[in-house]
């Protein structure tokens, strides 16, 4: 009946009706698919929670009652591993629950308890299951696997981690770099010269966190890494240099100030100040006039951090001649950090100051007076 009704209209109307019907069917099918998929995911999540609870109770009752691995009788250990192995082989849900629960235990336990979890993880072959996820077509699964490898301290998977550093997805590669660092691989910092894509701010923080969490990590001289073309790699190196006070890189950092990159210059200036690099003072003052306002502000703050006294006249001059609120504030803060000479400078400048200058001096004098510094 519907076809007869359609065929009675002109061809264009017939075509429009057919396409509309097909579109309606596709939309309905998509809605049904999304609905079913959400139900499946919700059910899977509930099953995972139940499985994790079973695994958690099993590990707590049979493994974590011991203080060290040597305290567990071999027969008892084999019996427990066989039971967990049956759970692992029973379904995908239990395999995932075992991996995730052991990773959580590893993150929240310390000392000999960690050794018990690591041994159970390896003897159950869970490391092989995690490594198999590196072949997934979904990048988030590959990244998750690399994160689990580093958290479980799985040195047996180093070859696969190294391969993952060539992954086309930047997030996967960053997780692989972090894993190499955490596992203290011999080539853990090779990526600093090989990575061509720009790392995001999150990537840099994640890698810095990996470095800070590594135990007995031997850091290289970052001077050569500061000369690479990848701007984000230089930014990451600066963060590591400041965090670990790598003073040997100061001459290289001073040399890089001549590169015409405002953002990198800002980070270098800030880093030199945090490292109290007195040898950088002249270089900072030389580039001051050619820098944008934000960088000028950071130069004043850096000179204040260094506080050698050699730049107090320069800071004083900038305070007197600047009307910019940002530069005025930075200059006053820099003078305040030269606490031994600040009183003299303040007394000399109390006359013929603008209202803004007097207000800024008062802003910094009051907390210093409160603490008995002035």
């Amino acid at each position: 009946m519907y076809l007869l009704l359609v065929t009675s209209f002109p061809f264009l109307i017939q075509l429009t009706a057919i396409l509309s019907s097909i579109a309606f069917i596709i939309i309905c099918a998509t809605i049904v698919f999304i609905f079913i998929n959400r139900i499946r995911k919700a059910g899977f999540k509930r099953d995972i929670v139940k499985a994790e609870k079973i695994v958690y109770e099993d590990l707590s009752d049979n493994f974590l009652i011991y203080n060290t691995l040597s305290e567990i009788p071999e027969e008892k250990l084999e019996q427990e591993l066989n039971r967990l192995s049956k759970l692992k082989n029973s379904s995908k849900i239990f395999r995932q629950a075992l991996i995730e629960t052991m990773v959580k235990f590893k993150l929240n336990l310390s000392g000999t308890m960690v050794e018990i979890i690591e041994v159970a993880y390896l003897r159950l072959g869970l490391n092989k299951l995690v490594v198999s996820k590196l072949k997934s077509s979904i990048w988030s699964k590959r990244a998750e696997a690399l994160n689990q490898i580093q958290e479980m301290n799985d040195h047996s998977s180093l070859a696969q981690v190294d391969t993952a550093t060539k992954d086309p997805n930047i997030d996967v590669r960053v997780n692989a770099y972090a894993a190499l660092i955490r596992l203290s691989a011999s080539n853990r910092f090779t990526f600093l010269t090989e990575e061509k894509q720009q790392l995001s701010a999150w990537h840099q923080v994640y890698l810095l966190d990996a470095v800070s969490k590594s135990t007995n990590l031997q850091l290289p001289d970052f001077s050569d890494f500061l000369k690479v073309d990848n701007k984000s790699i230089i930014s990451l190196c600066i963060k590591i240099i400041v965090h670990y006070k790598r003073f040997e890189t100061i001459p290289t950092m001073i040399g890089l100030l001549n590169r015409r990159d405002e953002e990198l210059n800002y980070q270098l200036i800030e880093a030199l100040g945090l490292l109290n690099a007195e040898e950088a003072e002249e270089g900072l003052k030389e580039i001051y006039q050619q820098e944008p306002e934000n960088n000028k502000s950071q130069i004043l703050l850096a000179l204040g951090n260094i506080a050698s006294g050699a730049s107090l006249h320069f800071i004083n001059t900038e305070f007197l001649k600047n009307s910019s609120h940002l530069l005025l504030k930075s200059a006053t803060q820099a003078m305040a950090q030269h606490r031994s000479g600040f009183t003299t400078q303040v007394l000399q400048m109390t006359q013929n100051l603008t209202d803004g200058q007097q207000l800024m001096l008062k802003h910094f004098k009051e907390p210093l007076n409160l603490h008995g510094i002035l």
Side-chain angles (χ1 to χ4, degrees):
M1 186 69 182
Y2 176 75
L3 290 174
L4 289 173
L5 182 63
V6 170
T7 54
S8 65
F9 290 100
F11 175 73
L12 285 177
I13 295 177
Q14 293 179 37
L15 182 62
T16 303
I18 292 169
L19 291 176
S20 298
S21 300
I22 292 171
F24 178 75
I25 292 169
I26 291 172
I27 291 170
C28 290
T30 303
I31 292 171
V32 170
F33 174 78
I34 293 172
F35 181 70
I36 293 172
N37 197 41
R38 284 186 176 180
I39 291 175
R40 286 178 60 191
K41 282 186 176 179
F44 185 77
K45 198 170 183 179
R46 283 195 302 271
D47 291 341
I48 281 287
V49 170
K50 290 178 183 176
E52 284 183 348
K53 185 178 179 182
I54 293 170
V55 172
Y56 176 87
E57 290 175 352
D58 201 302
L59 288 171
S60 299
D61 294 342
N62 297 287
F63 269 131
L64 302 183
I65 57 173
Y66 298 97
N67 293 319
T68 63
L69 184 65
S70 58
E71 286 184 11
I72 308 175
E74 185 60 31
E75 184 179 342
K76 172 71 174 176
L77 181 61
E78 285 296 328
Q79 181 183 352
E80 180 56 24
L81 288 173
N82 286 335
R83 181 164 55 252
L84 291 174
S85 183
K86 288 178 181 178
L87 285 177
K88 181 192 77 171
N89 296 329
S90 63
S91 71
K92 177 184 176 181
I93 290 172
F94 271 108
R95 286 192 288 275
Q96 185 170 327
L98 272 166
I99 293 169
E100 292 183 2
T101 304
M102 288 199 173
V103 169
K104 288 175 186 175
F105 270 128
K106 177 73 161 46
L107 287 171
N108 292 287
L109 295 175
S110 59
T112 54
M113 292 289 188
V114 170
E115 184 187 2
I116 295 173
I117 293 298
E118 287 179 350
V119 167
Y121 176 82
L122 292 173
R123 289 183 64 169
L124 286 168
L126 296 177
N127 57 322
K128 295 176 182 176
L129 293 175
V130 171
V131 166
S132 68
K133 290 197 291 184
L134 292 175
K135 298 177 182 177
S136 172
S137 59
I138 303 171
W139 74 264
S140 59
K141 290 287 185 184
R142 302 196 298 275
E144 179 187 51
L146 289 163
N147 184 60
Q148 289 170 342
I149 287 170
Q150 60 175 294
E151 294 298 351
M152 293 307 297
N153 200 30
D154 180 15
H155 289 84
S156 66
S157 302
L158 266 175
Q160 290 83 355
V161 173
D162 191 53
T163 302
T165 60
K166 307 296 189 294
D167 195 278
N169 185 283
I170 181 65
D171 292 301
V172 176
R173 293 202 303 277
V174 167
N175 273 275
Y177 302 151
L180 289 177
I181 292 170
R182 292 282 299 278
L183 297 173
S184 299
S186 57
N187 60 337
R188 56 189 173 274
F189 289 112
T190 304
F191 75 92
L192 293 175
T193 55
E194 293 182 350
E195 181 56 59
K196 304 303 178 188
Q197 191 171 341
Q198 293 297 311
L199 304 179
S200 68
W202 181 87
H203 290 147
Q204 294 175 44
V205 171
Y206 183 71
L207 289 169
L208 177 60
D209 183 64
V211 172
S212 64
K213 285 181 177 177
S214 302
T215 55
N216 303 318
L217 183 66
Q218 295 296 315
L219 291 174
D221 183 345
F222 286 93
S223 299
D224 290 335
F225 298 133
L226 288 171
K227 299 173 185 176
V228 299
D229 294 327
N230 190 324
K231 178 178 170 180
S232 63
I233 292 294
I234 298 174
S235 181
L236 170 63
C237 289
I238 291 171
K239 290 179 176 67
I240 298 173
I241 287 165
V242 171
H243 185 78
Y244 285 97
K245 306 294 182 187
R246 306 296 290 187
F247 298 109
E248 72 275 8
T249 62
I250 288 175
T252 303
M253 293 171 74
I254 295 171
L256 287 174
L257 288 172
N258 294 320
R259 292 175 64 161
R260 300 310 320 132
D261 188 300
E262 293 178 5
E263 188 179 341
L264 271 183
N265 267 17
Y266 183 92
Q267 294 179 57
L268 287 165
I269 293 163
E270 182 182 33
L272 289 168
L274 292 171
L275 292 172
N276 301 114
E278 291 187 23
E279 58 267 51
E281 285 187 89
E282 290 305 314
L284 292 173
K285 287 185 282 188
E286 284 175 13
I287 67 168
Y288 180 83
Q289 294 302 332
Q290 66 194 35
E291 291 296 318
E293 188 173 273
N294 279 343
N295 287 18
K296 285 181 178 178
S297 168
Q298 195 57 54
I299 287 173
L300 292 170
L301 293 174
L303 295 174
N305 279 331
I306 296 168
S308 68
S311 301
L312 193 53
H313 177 71
F314 175 85
I315 297 167
N316 179 27
T317 302
E318 291 305 312
F319 171 81
L320 290 172
K321 76 177 186 181
N322 269 300
S323 57
S324 163
H325 176 79
L326 177 62
L327 296 181
L328 196 59
K329 179 182 177 183
S330 299
T332 313
Q333 182 175 333
M335 286 192 296
Q337 288 174 293
H338 289 72
R339 286 166 188 158
S340 59
F342 187 54
T343 306
T344 305
Q345 291 286 346
V346 170
L347 292 173
Q348 290 173 350
M349 294 187 301
T350 50
Q351 298 177 350
N352 303 320
L353 294 181
T354 65
D355 291 341
Q357 289 170 332
Q358 289 179 355
L359 186 65
M360 199 63 70
L361 282 174
K362 183 180 179 182
H363 173 76
F364 282 94
K365 276 179 66 181
E366 286 183 346
L368 293 173
N369 276 321
L370 184 65
H371 291 88
I373 296 171
L374 283 179

